[in-house]
Amino acid sequence: MIKSSICELLGIEYPVLQGGMAWIADGRLAAAVSNGGGLGIIAAGSADGAYVREQIRKAKELTDKPFGVNIMLMSPFADEVAAVAAEERVSVVTTGAGNPSKYMQMWKDAGIKVIPVVASVALARLMERLGASAVIAEGGESGGHIGELSTMVLVPQIADAVSLPVIAAGGIADGRGVAAAFMLGACAVQVGTRFLAADECSINPVYKEKIIKAKDLCTMVTGRRLGHPVRALRTNFQREYLKLEYSPATDEELEAFGAGSLRKAVVDGDNDGGCFLSGQAAAMVKKVQPAAEIVRELAEGAEPLLKGAGEWVR
Ligand code: TUI
């Protein structure tokens, strides 16, 4: 059984967090992951406070285990959702796509453990100074909004820079990834893409099938021109978006082209107008299965590898 300081800190059985996937990670998925011994996380994405409160209450009905809420800091509703998380006194808040400094004191006053996603050493250091409980070092293999560095180089640098527990994310989809993350200095992992194929993940079946069928080169990054690089499955829509980025189209035209595309993927499974966010690990996701089974396979898959690591030393 893999145990680390994160298990005691968060009150969970396995050192596995589910990523806060916008439009996707709802109360149902979060509760299923938490019931499976990991930490489920509800994603606020660009939703308003009422939606997030509803999902928190749903999760509370479905589990008595701890779970978290992810605040996407570029959201126009970030202030509102940050307050809802504090009012509802969720166990954990994770943040993404920005610097959460202005909310830290409010969350800490509510007794919430704050775990920001960081994509740089500087932000990790700042978060430690402001009282974060841990940080998530998320590499560019991840789906959705990404930073510059890959998991392999980001995790050890963050682990060297702070004395907080470090949670590795980006490209982790099986026990090998978990074991590797521990070797890089992490004491837990955050996994998104593999949970897209959880039974309890309510995305359109078309999306799940695309993940299961994905091959190694099936993701690509768009959005660099507007300063928000995003990794998604390589579809005709993504190719068209990329073409537009390198055309004389205005920023407004570009934004209009992408508007609503996350919803179209998640809700409608719209092959032509949807943006199917996915990490590079999609090719390692082989089947749809219960979330609890995914949590267990991730943790138990790492055990023999970590135990057997001595084999390399003479
Ligand atoms: O946030 C994510 N992944 C996301 S958010 C999202 S919703 C979205 N919708 C439309 C356009 C863009 C996003 C989909 N996927 N992951 C966490 C993450 N945070 N990755 C990278 C970062 C990050 C990057 C820079 C965090 C902080 C940062 O620095 C901010 C600063 O001011 O220092």
Side-chain angles (χ1 to χ4, degrees), residues 22 45-46 72 74 95-99 117-120 123 138 143-147 228 230 262 277:
S46 305
M72 206 279 279
M74 290 188 327
T95 64
N99 178 342
V117 169
V118 297
S120 70
L123 189 61
E138 187 181 291
H145 179 69
I146 54 172
H228 306 301
V230 161
L262 297 186
L277 298 182

Side-chain angles (χ1 to χ4, degrees), residues 196-218:
L196 291 174
D199 283 325
E200 300 87 346
C201 180
S202 308
I203 55 176
N204 189 291
V206 168
Y207 200 152
K208 276 191 197 178
E209 197 180 312
K210 281 179 178 294
I211 295 293
I212 302 287
K213 287 194 173 151
K215 296 202 166 47
D216 54 352
L217 302 179
C218 278

Side-chain angles (χ1 to χ4, degrees), residues 120-134:
S120 70
V121 165
L123 189 61
R125 286 207 172 106
L126 176 63
M127 293 299 103
E128 180 170 45
R129 270 208 309 284
L130 295 184
S133 294

Side-chain angles (χ1 to χ4, degrees), residues 46-283:
S46 305
D48 64 11
Y51 168 84
V52 175
R53 199 186 299 278
E54 181 191 313
Q55 294 306 317
I56 292 171
R57 300 224 167 134
K58 191 170 181 185
K60 283 178 181 168
E61 271 171 30
L62 295 172
T63 187
D64 52 8
K65 302 255 165 62
F67 63 88
V69 170
N70 173 262
I71 314 286
M72 206 279 279
L73 295 163
M74 290 188 327
S75 164
F77 295 104
D79 287 353
E80 189 177 310
V81 167
V84 167
E87 284 160 28
E88 294 287 328
R89 296 189 183 271
V90 294
S91 299
V92 175
V93 161
T94 66
T95 64
N99 178 342
S101 296
K102 69 172 173 167
Y103 306 119
M104 297 280 286
Q105 197 56 50
M106 173 178 69
W107 290 327
K108 286 201 309 165
D109 289 347
I112 294 171
K113 289 174 263 292
V114 185
I115 311 187
V117 169
V118 297
S120 70
V121 165
L123 189 61
R125 286 207 172 106
L126 176 63
M127 293 299 103
E128 180 170 45
R129 270 208 309 284
L130 295 184
S133 294
V135 289
I136 301 168
E138 187 181 291
E141 296 92 326
S142 302
H145 179 69
I146 54 172
E148 199 59 49
L149 299 175
S150 64
T151 305
M152 187 79 154
V153 294
L154 183 65
V155 175
Q157 291 185 71
I158 304 280
D160 283 348
V162 297
S163 36
L164 297 172
V166 176
I167 299 159
I172 302 168
D174 63 17
R176 292 171 296 184
V178 177
F182 274 65
M183 291 297 181
L184 293 174
C187 62
V189 296
Q190 179 190 268
V191 171
T193 299
R194 188 153 172 203
F195 284 109
L196 291 174
D199 283 325
E200 300 87 346
C201 180
S202 308
I203 55 176
N204 189 291
V206 168
Y207 200 152
K208 276 191 197 178
E209 197 180 312
K210 281 179 178 294
I211 295 293
I212 302 287
K213 287 194 173 151
K215 296 202 166 47
D216 54 352
L217 302 179
C218 278
T219 72
M220 63 188 282
V221 178
T222 58
R224 292 200 195 276
R225 189 177 117 185
L226 295 181
H228 306 301
V230 161
R231 183 179 298 285
L233 291 179
R234 186 182 293 276
T235 57
N236 284 340
F237 176 79
Q238 291 305 111
R239 286 197 192 93
E240 285 305 313
Y241 188 96
L242 192 67
K243 254 195 236 162
L244 210 57
E245 273 191 277
Y246 291 94
S247 79
T250 64
D251 287 358
E252 289 71 29
E253 281 168 327
L254 205 53
E255 265 177 37
F257 187 80
S261 58
L262 297 186
R263 185 183 185 284
K264 283 182 201 162
V266 172
V267 179
D268 309 328
D270 179 351
N271 195 35
D272 303 317
C275 172
F276 296 81
L277 298 182
S278 167
Q280 290 181 327

